Amino acid sequence: MGRPPCCDKAGIKKGPWTPEEDIILVSYIQQHGPGNWRAVPTHAGLLRCSKSCRLRWTNYLRPGIKRGNFTEHEEKMIIHLQALLGNRWAAIASYLPQRTDNDIKNYWNIHLKKKLRKLHGSEGYCRSGFSSSASSDHISRGQWERKLQTDINMAKQALSDALSPEKSSGLTELKPCNGSIYAKPGGYASSTENIAKMLKGWMSKSPLKPGWTGCGVTEQSVNSSDGTDEDSRKEEEKRCSKEMTEALESLFAFESFDSSNSDDFSQSMSTEPDLDPHAGQLSLLEKWLFDDTANHGRDCQLSDITLDENPMFLLNGGT
DNA sequence: AAGTTATGCAACCGCGAGGGA
DNA sequence: ATCCCTCGCGGTTGCATAACT
C-alpha cells in the first residue's frame, strides 16, 4: 500500500541491451551491489524496468558465468537433474553454478529434448522428463507411478554416477570458456569483450577487497581442501560462502573468474553444495542419493519407497 | 548468389510466493 | 487481516545467424 508501481510502462526501453547500458548497470552494481532492483533503473539512470535489469545481471553480467558449449558432464547433470526435479531450472542451475537457469533451460529445450527424443523414441522424455509423464492423461495413475519410480531410479543411478568422484571425471574436464566469460563469438560478443576490458580498467583503479580472490577458486581453498584437516576445510567453506555473497555485491570478483581458474571453481562449487541457496534441498537430495547408493542391494530400494516417503516427492510439494 | 528454413540465444511476459505497509 | 509490491521462476517469443536448397 502506498508503494509506487514496480515500473512505469511509459518510457521503458525494451529489447537487446547495448554495451553502454551494460556498463551503466555493472558500474552501478559495482558501487551498490545487487538487490533492491526497483531502485536500480532510476538510480543508475537506465530506461529499463527493474525486472529487465535483474535479468540482465543474473543471466549475463553477473561474474562467474560460464558461456559457450556445455560439457558432456554438464549435459548429463542436466538430464538427470531434470528427470529428478522437473523443469525447475533454478534448482538445476544451483548444481551448475557457472550456468544460468536461462542457459540451462535453453540448452534443454534446444538440444537435450531432441537428443532424448532420439534416444527414447516417441515415448518418454517427450517434454520434461518424468514430469511430462505425470501430466499425461493417457496413463493411469498406477502406470504413471511405476513409470515415475522407474524414471527416478534411472535418474538417481545416473546422478550418482555423475556425482561420484571417481566416475565423474567430467567435473574436472570443464573447459575454460575461451579465456573470457563472454565467449560468444561475433558482433555483440566483441562488444561485451570491450566492456570487460573497460571494466577491468575501472577495477584496476578501485581498491580490491582484501582476501577476496573468487569463491572456491582461491589457491588457498583449493590447497586447503587437498589434505588438510576437516575443520579448517569447513572454515574455508564458510569463508568461501561469505565471500560468494560479498562477491555478488562487488564486481571486484570479475577478474577472478577468468579462464585460469574456472576449472577449480567448478570443481569446488560442485563439491560444495552448501554454497547455494538451495543447500537444504541439495543436502537432502544428496543424502538420499548416497544413502540409497550405500544401501544398494539391501532391503531399502527406492522402488520400495512409496511416493509419500520419497524425499523428492516431498521436495516437490507432494504434487 | 538469393531465398528459405532451421537453430540458438537473449529478453520479455505472466504468475505465484513472500513480505512489508 | 488484507492489500499490493518486489522478487524470482518458468514458459514463450523475437531476432540474428547458420545451414540448406
Side-chain angles (χ1 to χ4, degrees), chain A residues 132-143:
Chain A
S132 68
S133 308
S135 63
S136 172
D137 293 334
H138 305 295
I139 304 176
S140 72
R141 178 173 169 82
Q143 283 178 313

Side-chain angles (χ1 to χ4, degrees), chain A residues 66-78 92 96 98-108 111-112 115 173-175:
Chain A
K66 180 182 170 185
R67 311 199 72 81
N69 294 337
F70 280 68
T71 65
E72 196 178 332
H73 178 71
E74 286 175 312
E75 200 172 281
K76 276 184 186 174
M77 288 280 285
I78 294 167
I92 293 171
L96 300 161
Q98 291 182 293
R99 301 291 189 179
T100 67
D101 52 356
N102 206 36
D103 260 355
I104 293 169
K105 182 173 59 182
N106 281 335
Y107 191 70
W108 173 265
H111 297 99
L112 297 181
K115 219 173 195 176
E173 288 167 2
L174 295 178
K175 304 273 190 302

Side-chain angles (χ1 to χ4, degrees), chain A residues 219-291:
Chain A
E219 280 188 28
Q220 190 188 355
S221 66
V222 169
N223 292 337
S224 69
S225 63
D226 187 16
T228 55
D229 64 84
E230 188 69 10
D231 287 342
S232 62
R233 199 180 65 82
K234 283 179 179 174
E235 276 302 309
E236 185 62 26
E237 286 170 20
K238 277 185 188 172
R239 193 182 64 81
C240 175
S241 179
K242 188 164 174 285
E243 285 179 352
M244 189 68 175
T245 307
E246 288 175 1
L248 293 176
E249 296 168 358
S250 165
L251 273 181
F252 296 136
F254 199 85
E255 285 181 304
S256 301
F257 288 95
D258 64 17
S259 60
S260 64
N261 54 29
S262 60
D263 283 4
D264 290 338
F265 175 74
S266 60
Q267 191 171 11
S268 172
M269 290 300 283
S270 60
T271 54
E272 306 299 344
D274 287 348
L275 292 176
D276 76 273
H278 300 83
Q281 287 190 11
L282 304 193
S283 303
L284 183 55
L285 169 63
E286 284 167 5
K287 186 172 185 301
W288 167 60
L289 173 65
F290 289 118
D291 282 353

